[in-house]
Amino acid sequence: MDIALLILGFLLMLIGILGSFLPVLPGPPISWVGLLLLYLTKAVPDNWWVLGITFVLAITITILDYVIPAMGTKKFGGSKAGMWGTIVGLLVAIFVPVFGPFGIIIWPFVGALVGELLNKANKKTAMKAAFGSFLGFLTGTFMKFVLTVAYAIFYVYITIKYAGDLFTFA
């Protein structure tokens, strides 16, 4: 059973890394479940502190991934209308994947742009706010990628550390 948990956990690590870029998959929580499966093996001793801290990090980064594009919009001179446009764009990207994986970039940008234009902003201000949304998206994606790769490295480290107990075929 340990080998099955190990393989499934490793697959979840890889899916979590992919989830850093794909809007449909919440990468950090998926990677965290991979860590959880590793700690559920008989060979790896329970460490609820590690699991708790990594869980909080995964949830925090996932939430920030939705908040940061709106913050980027505001930072680049966008109004509340632009921020709401960004949020609506993110929701459209998640629930109406018209542009596939690129929708998570395109829709928040379009949402911020439309929000600012509806708010009577000039085109230059609207484009600047939309660019802030795009930078926010890149920041969130980078944070998710770094966290999921760190989880994968930690997963491999723990697997190697307890390899003698994990790979007993007796």
Side-chain angles (χ1 to χ4, degrees):
M1 188 63 173
D2 282 357
I3 297 298
L5 289 172
L6 193 66
I7 291 169
L8 184 57
F10 185 73
L11 289 173
L12 289 174
M13 285 290 148
L14 296 177
I15 293 169
I17 291 171
L18 284 175
S20 298
F21 302 102
L22 301 174
V24 181
L25 300 172
I30 290 173
S31 288
W32 182 83
V33 171
L35 281 177
L36 176 65
L37 292 179
L38 179 63
Y39 276 92
L40 290 177
T41 62
K42 292 177 187 169
V44 179
D46 294 340
N47 190 334
W48 297 109
W49 281 104
V50 167
L51 288 172
I53 290 168
T54 54
F55 177 76
V56 168
L57 283 172
I59 297 303
T60 301
I61 294 295
T62 302
I63 291 169
L64 283 175
D65 185 48
Y66 292 101
V67 173
I68 287 176
M71 290 170 43
T73 301
K74 185 165 179 69
K75 183 80 171 167
F76 278 75
S79 64
K80 286 189 182 207
M83 288 174 47
W84 279 106
T86 301
I87 292 167
V88 168
L90 280 167
L91 294 174
V92 168
I94 292 168
F95 296 112
V96 187
V98 174
F99 295 113
F102 297 106
I104 198 72
I105 298 170
I106 295 168
W107 286 117
F109 182 88
V110 169
L113 184 64
V114 169
E116 289 300 326
L117 290 174
L118 288 174
N119 196 39
K120 311 261 189 291
N122 62 33
K123 289 180 183 175
K124 183 179 177 182
T125 302
M127 283 299 287
K128 191 175 171 186
F131 181 70
S133 166
F134 175 69
L135 283 181
F137 163 76
L138 289 179
T139 301
T141 299
F142 179 73
M143 287 185 338
K144 289 189 306 184
F145 178 71
V146 167
L147 186 66
T148 56
V149 167
Y151 283 3
I153 291 169
F154 184 65
Y155 185 92
V156 169
Y157 169 76
I158 295 296
T159 301
I160 291 170
K161 183 176 179 180
Y162 293 99
D165 295 327
L166 282 167
F167 300 106
T168 57
F169 298 104

